Amino acid sequence: MTNELPVDLPVTEDEWRVRLTPAEFRVLRQAGTEPAWTGEYVDTKTPGLYRCRACGAELFSSDTKFDSHCGWPSFDEALPGSIRYIEDRSHGMLRTEVRCARCDSHLGHRFDGERFTAKNARYCINSISMTLEPAE
Ligand SMILES: [Zn+2]
């Protein structure tokens, strides 16, 4: 699978609304956040590849997933070129919003300098923004 833009990728938000469930739409297209500890991948250890649930682009390898105990799946590295970063000043904080580089859907936030791992980054990602493709 390449990261070429598929021809059937929705263009308008109305098209996205039809394709996604209401809960997926609220997070992926309206930058919502699923409640902590409720996502299906919080504690998942299954080896595999995490793809964007909206467009299928490859985002994270399970090799970079770690236990941050923050309530959301956490990774210390994204696959090269998979992420678009946006400055987010909502809720009185300066954060880095993380979006899918291919379809611009919201995934979560990136935090730096917390020293959870040697890479010193935490991608805090909504489970509902991803689909795990288990390794063979
Ligand atoms: Zn995507």
Side-chain angles (χ1 to χ4, degrees):
M1 174 146 182
T2 69
N3 271 341
E4 292 295 307
L5 199 69
V7 287
D8 67 339
L9 203 60
V11 175
T12 69
E13 294 310 306
D14 281 345
E15 289 170 357
W16 279 115
R17 198 184 294 271
V18 171
R19 173 177 290 208
L20 302 172
T21 69
E24 290 167 352
F25 184 83
R26 194 180 65 80
V27 173
L28 286 159
R29 305 307 304 180
Q30 298 183 314
T33 300
E34 67 191 8
W37 304 109
T38 64
E40 65 182 293
Y41 299 132
V42 175
D43 294 317
T44 302
K45 304 277 196 259
T46 308
L49 198 59
Y50 287 87
R51 294 181 180 275
C52 173
R53 193 173 293 192
C55 77
E58 300 173 354
L59 302 173
F60 300 98
S61 163
S62 61
D63 294 343
T64 64
K65 193 171 187 291
F66 67 97
D67 285 322
S68 65
H69 306 286
C70 72
W72 292 274
S74 298
F75 305 85
D76 66 4
E77 190 174 48
L79 295 174
S82 65
I83 300 297
R84 179 171 168 237
Y85 300 99
I86 295 173
E87 190 176 282
D88 176 3
R89 292 184 177 274
S90 65
H91 304 292
M93 293 179 276
L94 174 58
R95 296 182 296 173
T96 303
E97 181 187 350
V98 174
R99 292 192 191 178
C100 172
R102 185 207 260 168
C103 74
D104 208 36
S105 288
H106 175 78
L107 304 173
H109 288 85
R110 173 181 164 146
F111 300 90
D112 292 279
E114 300 173 320
R115 307 210 169 272
F116 277 109
T117 73
K119 290 171 192 150
N120 209 9
R122 173 169 61 98
Y123 291 81
C124 182
I125 307 298
N126 293 284
S127 292
I128 203 169
S129 295
M130 303 182 293
T131 302
L132 172 61
E133 180 180 282
E136 299 286 308

